[in-house]
Amino acid sequence: MELISTNVSFDGEHRRYRHRSAVLDCDMEFAVFLPPQALGREPRKVPVLYWLSGLTCTDQNFMQKAGAQRRAAELGLAIVCPDTSPRGVNLPGEDDSYDFGSGAGFYINATREPWSRHYRMYDYVVSELPALLESELPFTDQRGVSGHSMGGHGALICALKNPGRYASVSAFAPIANPTECPWGIKAFSGYLGDDREAWEEWDATLLIPYARERLPLLIDQGTADEFLDQQLNPDALADACEKVHHHINLRMHRGYDHSYFFIATFIDDHLNHHARALGLR
């Protein structure tokens, strides 16, 4: 891991790293917030919240806009923000649109050429990156996962597909039923091909009935979100949860949109949710 930069924040450190990913076959950058408990003369290992960002984002959006560091420092919780896709792998069309290719990896494993060589963000965020960080930084093997929009979709599928790997999961305005929305249909067609049955393993709403672990879901959604009706469909997720008694706390917030102003307003609630599951409260 190559340290790119570091900033002191609430007596902890915000760090940016670069490394060579074997899974993605390219260099990747990511951000880490280390709380003060993991630093100093008597550092201790701390649990980690993995934050998965949305379309067009990099590792920097959450760290600069969400305002999570103060509460994370108080709790003794590390935060890891990976990028949202491979970068600069020179695939045809990777930079043609905001919702496919660069910045839009969708946290799945592509099976369709030419994307399958690099676009394996699911394996990267679930396996490769945590293994690297738990060997190099003062992290325990206790993990939570959260995210926004495309990243909220990513957080949900990572938790649902990996019982026992995460202690907690939450999401802001997730793409809850991607097999039935324009963003998801475009991404899944491009990365996975036209067999819609192959899409089902990457859709949280469709995974809920078969989940082998039922972690409580905390979902925040703004009613003024411009993408709510066409792209996000939290009601489908809530309906799926109700049918199998999977606990979901879907909180609808009047007047809030899809921006980081919304995330910053409620991020402490999510950090507290993860902290309780990780034994920090």
Side-chain angles (χ1 to χ4, degrees):
M1 296 184 342
E2 173 193 356
L3 182 63
I4 301 171
S5 64
T6 183
N7 305 91
V8 176
S9 180
F10 296 101
D11 294 325
E13 287 187 16
H14 166 256
R15 298 178 182 177
R16 295 192 71 235
Y17 288 97
R18 181 184 297 116
H19 79 117
R20 182 72 183 181
S21 167
V23 166
L24 306 178
D25 193 22
C26 67
D27 290 341
M28 292 292 287
E29 295 179 357
F30 61 90
V32 176
F33 175 71
L34 287 173
Q37 295 85 345
L39 303 169
R41 294 182 178 178
E42 297 182 359
R44 61 177 174 84
K45 291 187 175 183
V46 295
V48 187
L49 176 64
Y50 286 86
W51 173 268
L52 307 183
S53 294
L55 290 166
T56 76
C57 291
T58 68
D59 64 280
Q60 299 185 66
N61 298 74
F62 178 85
M63 288 299 196
Q64 294 180 7
K65 296 180 179 180
Q69 291 89 342
R70 180 193 295 274
R71 186 61 181 145
E74 293 170 349
L75 292 167
L77 178 64
I79 301 174
V80 171
C81 295
D83 204 345
T84 52
S85 77
R87 301 281 177 173
V89 292
N90 299 317
L91 297 181
E94 69 178 356
D95 298 319
D96 288 355
S97 59
Y98 78 95
D99 54 357
F100 186 80
S102 295
F106 267 81
Y107 305 102
I108 67 175
N109 287 337
T111 56
R112 188 179 184 184
E113 294 294 338
W115 309 97
S116 58
R117 177 179 174 185
H118 300 285
Y119 277 68
R120 303 182 61 83
M121 288 297 295
Y122 173 80
D123 282 351
Y124 178 69
V125 300
V126 170
S127 300
E128 185 183 30
L129 187 60
L132 173 67
L133 297 183
E134 289 168 19
S135 68
E136 297 290 336
L137 294 176
F139 291 171
T140 70
D141 61 358
Q142 294 295 299
R143 315 170 195 93
V145 63
S146 186
H148 172 230
S149 194
M150 177 185 72
H153 141 77
L156 292 171
I157 63 169
C158 287
L160 290 168
K161 289 166 68 69
N162 293 277
R165 186 158 188 81
Y166 301 97
S168 52
V169 58
S170 71
F172 287 84
I175 304 173
N177 192 191
T179 59
E180 299 295 336
C181 77
W183 278 341
I185 291 170
K186 179 177 180 177
F188 289 3
S189 297
Y191 296 137
L192 303 174
D194 296 328
D195 180 4
R196 294 183 68 98
E197 288 189 6
W199 301 3
E200 294 179 1
E201 68 169 303
W202 307 108
D203 186 316
T205 295
L206 302 181
L207 290 172
I208 284 290
Y210 309 102
R212 290 185 289 134
E213 179 182 47
R214 301 209 173 274
L215 295 177
L217 307 183
L218 172 60
I219 310 291
D220 278 335
Q221 175 66 60
T223 63
D225 190 320
E226 63 185 298
F227 304 113
L228 175 57
D229 294 333
Q230 188 178 18
Q231 303 283 10
L232 305 178
N233 200 6
D235 289 341
L237 179 65
D239 289 346
C241 288
E242 182 178 1
K243 289 177 181 177
V244 296
H245 308 291
H246 190 130
H247 179 76
I248 182 172
N249 184 9
L250 173 59
R251 309 193 305 181
M252 302 298 295
H253 301 280
R254 184 175 177 83
Y256 283 89
D257 58 19
H258 201 68
S259 72
Y260 267 85
F261 294 106
F262 165 53
I263 295 171
T265 304
F266 299 104
I267 190 62
D268 282 6
D269 290 351
H270 285 246
L271 296 175
N272 291 335
H273 166 80
H274 292 280
R276 283 189 291 271
L278 292 164
L280 297 176
R281 294 192 69 195

